[in-house]
Amino acid sequence: MFESLGWLPTFPLLGFLILFLSGGGLPKRLIAVIGAGSIGLAFVAAIVVALPIISGDAEVIVHEVYTWMAVGSFNSAFGMYLDGLSVVMILVITGVGFLIHLYSTGFMIDDPSYSRFFAIMNLFVAAMLVLVLADNLLLLYLGWEGVGLCSYLLIGFWYQDPANGYAARKAFVTTRVGDTSMAIGLFLIFTQLGSLDIQESMALAQGEWGLGSGYAVAAALLLLGGAVGKSAQLPLQTWLPDAMAGPTPISALIHAATMVTAGVYLIARTHALFELAPDVQLLVALIGLATLLIAGFTAMTQHDIKRILAYSTISQIGYMFLGLGVGAWSASIFHLMTHAFFKALLFLAAGTVILSLHHEHDIFKMGGKWRQLPVAFASFLIGSLALAAFPYTSGYFSKDEILLAALELEHTGFWLWLGGVVGAFFTGIYSFRLVFVVFFGESAGHHEAREVTGVSMAAPLLVLMVLALAGGLIHVPTESVFAASEHGEHHVSALMHSIMIAVPLLGIALSYLFYGSRTLSVERLMSNTIAQGLHKFWFAGWGFDGLYRRLLITPYVWLAAVNKRDVVDTAAGLLVTLSEAGNSLLTRSQSGSLRWYILSVVGGTVLLITLGGVL
Amino acid sequence: MESIPFEHGLMLAATLFCLGLIGVMTRRNIVFVLMSLEIMLNASGLAFIVSGSRWGGADGQVMFLMILTLAAAEVAVGLGLIIQLYKRFKTIDIDVLSALKG
Amino acid sequence: MTELFYSGAVVAVIATLLVIVQTNVVHALIYLVLSLLAVAVVFFSVGAPFVAILEAIVYAGAIMVLFLFVVMMLNLGQRSRDQEKDWLPARSWLVPSVLAAVLLMQLTASFPAAQTQIVEVGARAVSELLFGPYVLAVELASFLLLAGLVSAYHIAKK
């Protein structure tokens, strides 16, 4: 029964339909079972389907489920394509997704819209699975839009507060800009190559578009635009911090583990296209570098626990883009997987902290909580170690591979590597700043808080802790996918290697000095006006929100206000206006006065006779 | 045999017709309007008689008879309407009959 | 005969003119009767004595008298005479006169030139036509009169 790949997205889809059509009337236990259970079933199905590929028996499994549309020479189908890359993605999505769903059954238990939550979460997982399993770009775009929709619905989950609605709209509109770019890219690929099937179009591109051809550059740029939007990279990164307005489990699932990695997946899938346009590939790396540095600076200044993690996500995806840009495809996917583990762990632990401290988000109002919140403390510690690439955690292996691959590139490779190392330094600082401020030192509030846990919330955290630590040992079966592009073993000097190990440790040490032992004073650092200015600038995310407001939003709103009486509407209503004017003009001839009527009859007669005589 | 130019007869009829027309257009008193209508009818009858005389037959006179009958019936109905107007509006001004305005 | 024709014509025109400019209803009616009688004279002068008599008896005698009855019944009084003067300022004659004049010119332009021989066509000839080819028209005329009678009765009722 599970041979068919089509079952994978069907389980979550069925979960969505049941929960949606029942309109929230089912008992909570049943909702939890359906909601989390559908993802669990999908996970089992994913393992079953992936076994042949993992064991090396097969390289690719293709299955066409349904013909979507066939118009002329354009034939698009619901086709599922499974190879090493998709295997990693589906296992991450369903595995981590299941753990997060399990956590949510406990976390969201007091929420009145319990059913709606799980319905949309299931729809999201279904759309994400469609995205990664699609064998043609049109179906991928369907999944792409689906996850965008679910992201909007979930960010604005608590819609009674208009600020949440605003954040949801901001996310949707910003990613839409990227989606439009991607759609145009799809148009370009279709009109030039004649097919949207991924494998087919990549092969055609390699044949027809040579290295550095204009079409390849254009198509790659457009697809990059879409990836940048979805993955919250420069310049479309402004939506992710605000998206923290949604419930914490969705931040974990969508904005850490899965949706934001869709961009990375897209570029990895169409890597053949990017290899045809080396300049665009370099641009990918540069975007990744710039983003990881900017987000790193910003994360050091934030005090909302979820915003720190959000900027951290932006930064880590920057690392993945960096890896993609230097051609380290497998390394980026590996980092995607390990990042899913430790970032989901961090977000879920943050959820526990927030819930236990009665919805407190400000880390400077916490402090000294390691005794009161033991599970959360352990999760944060392990997660932050993995995030900062402490030796032998999963994060260490994956980040190392990317940085080593960066070194291999000539000319710019060294600078990319250096930027990555600096970024790792900052990562160490901000991740442990969080840990020290929240869990050590004096308690600044919530002195009697007790940890909110149940099996449903603790078990996923434990599993993720194990994965975050040991995930580095998982072998990612993507060699067959990227066979043509991969490099061999990396050889670097011992100096470089030790620098890469030491720098995050230095960061951790520095944050210990500032926030742990209080040897160095933050206040003295901040008393400097330059420091204050920098702090303000980095806190505002390097001013992007303000820039966009001034550049785009204000002119647009002004234009809308000017066009309040809608030019197009007026033009369309011109016919109506003319008719009404004509009517009011002619009704004046109906004065009701008998003498006027007689006069007009006689006048008409005279006129007719005149015309009769003339013509 | 005496003869009268045909145009002069028709000219007379046309003149009387136009005078009646002026009366219909100008006057506000409904009785006068009806009288002017009678003038017009009479003028058209005159035209028929003159034309019939031109051709030497009695058809013109027969037609005039019909017109006469018509005028009689019309006057009867018209006067009835005048009475109703007076009863309803207490005036004979036709400008009060503006219910069809707009 | 021709003198009769022209004199009758002149009287008719003048009388009609006076009808339409009168302010007093009864005076106007009298002038109208005069006009009709003049037209009867004209009829006689073109050789149609039967309709001349008919005009005098029926039109001037019956229809105008009917008018007079109704006017007397309405009993409008002095107030109405003053009203009439108000309603007829000089400028209100302008446009109708112009239109009518234009119509007159158009009608005049269409007259054919011919001479009318004055042959007296008596009652006998008319009756032969009425009982002959135009008998249907006679019947229809009687329908019309009946309809007029019934409707006049109903309209003038309360």
Side-chain angles (χ1 to χ4, degrees), chain A residues 341-542:
Chain A
F341 295 150
F342 61 70
K343 198 42 73 62
L345 176 64
L346 285 170
F347 264 109
L348 294 184
T352 307
V353 170
I354 291 173
L355 205 59
S356 310
L357 299 182
H358 311 294
H359 300 286
E360 177 64 69
H361 283 236
D362 190 340
I363 58 173
F364 289 109
K365 295 207 177 72
M366 306 175 191
K369 293 277 171 281
W370 67 277
R371 245 188 262 274
Q372 289 163 280
L373 309 172
V375 178
F377 173 56
S379 316
F380 258 102
L381 194 60
I382 293 177
S384 302
L385 285 173
L387 176 58
F390 194 81
Y392 298 105
T393 54
S394 58
Y396 163 74
F397 286 112
S398 54
K399 196 178 285 187
D400 246 32
E401 268 200 50
I402 292 179
L403 292 177
L404 288 174
L407 267 182
E408 302 265 319
L409 205 64
E410 59 265 10
H411 309 304
T412 45
F414 176 72
W415 298 105
L416 293 172
W417 175 85
L418 190 64
V421 168
V422 171
F425 178 60
F426 290 140
T427 309
I429 295 181
Y430 67 67
S431 54
F432 274 86
R433 168 177 176 265
L434 182 78
V435 172
F436 288 131
V437 170
V438 173
F439 293 104
F440 291 98
E442 293 293 313
S443 168
H446 303 280
H447 309 283
E448 293 83 39
R450 286 193 312 117
E451 190 162 43
V452 173
T453 43
V455 170
S456 60
M457 285 170 68
L461 288 174
L462 284 169
V463 174
L464 284 171
M465 277 193 251
V466 171
L467 283 172
L469 282 176
L473 301 171
I474 297 178
H475 175 69
V476 173
T478 51
E479 302 91 15
S480 55
V481 182
F482 302 120
S485 336
E486 289 287 85
H487 308 280
E489 281 292 315
H490 304 295
H491 304 287
V492 279
S493 63
L495 177 64
M496 299 295 224
H497 225 115
S498 41
I499 292 179
M500 289 200 304
I501 296 179
V503 161
L505 294 176
L506 273 175
I508 297 175
L510 196 63
S511 73
Y512 175 71
L513 287 174
F514 270 105
Y515 294 102
S517 65
R518 306 267 167 178
T519 328
L520 295 175
S521 164
V522 181
E523 286 73 28
R524 263 187 51 201
L525 191 65
M526 283 297 116
S527 58
N528 190 338
T529 31
I530 299 179
Q532 278 172 9
L534 277 177
H535 180 96
K536 223 161 63 172
F537 183 56
W538 291 341
F539 183 77
W542 292 57

Side-chain angles (χ1 to χ4, degrees), chain A residues 595 599 602-603 605-606 609-610, chain C residues 87 92 95-96 99-100 102-103 106:
Chain A
R595 287 192 293 152
L599 199 67
V602 175
T605 313
V606 169
I609 297 178
T610 317
Chain C
W87 287 345
S92 68
V95 174
L99 273 177
V102 173
L103 187 61
Q106 289 172 332

Side-chain angles (χ1 to χ4, degrees), chain B residues 2-4 12 46, chain C residues 1-13 35 37-49 52 118 120:
Chain B
E2 294 182 42
S3 64
I4 301 170
L12 174 64
L46 174 61
Chain C
M1 279 303 201
T2 53
E3 304 85 22
L4 209 55
F5 174 81
Y6 285 113
S7 48
V10 167
V11 172
V13 171
S35 167
L37 289 175
V39 168
V41 168
V42 169
F43 284 166
F44 182 72
S45 72
V46 292
I118 302 171
E120 189 173 302

Side-chain angles (χ1 to χ4, degrees), chain B residues 79, chain C residues 29 62 64-75:
Chain B
L79 288 172
Chain C
L29 276 170
M64 287 305 125
V65 169
L66 196 55
F67 256 103
L68 212 53
F69 281 164
V70 172
V71 167
M72 292 301 169
M73 193 175 83
L74 289 179
N75 201 9

Side-chain angles (χ1 to χ4, degrees), chain A residues 113-125:
Chain A
S113 310
Y114 201 58
S115 175
R116 178 161 61 100
F117 180 80
F118 279 103
I120 308 179
M121 288 278 265
N122 279 9
L123 183 64
F124 170 83
V125 174

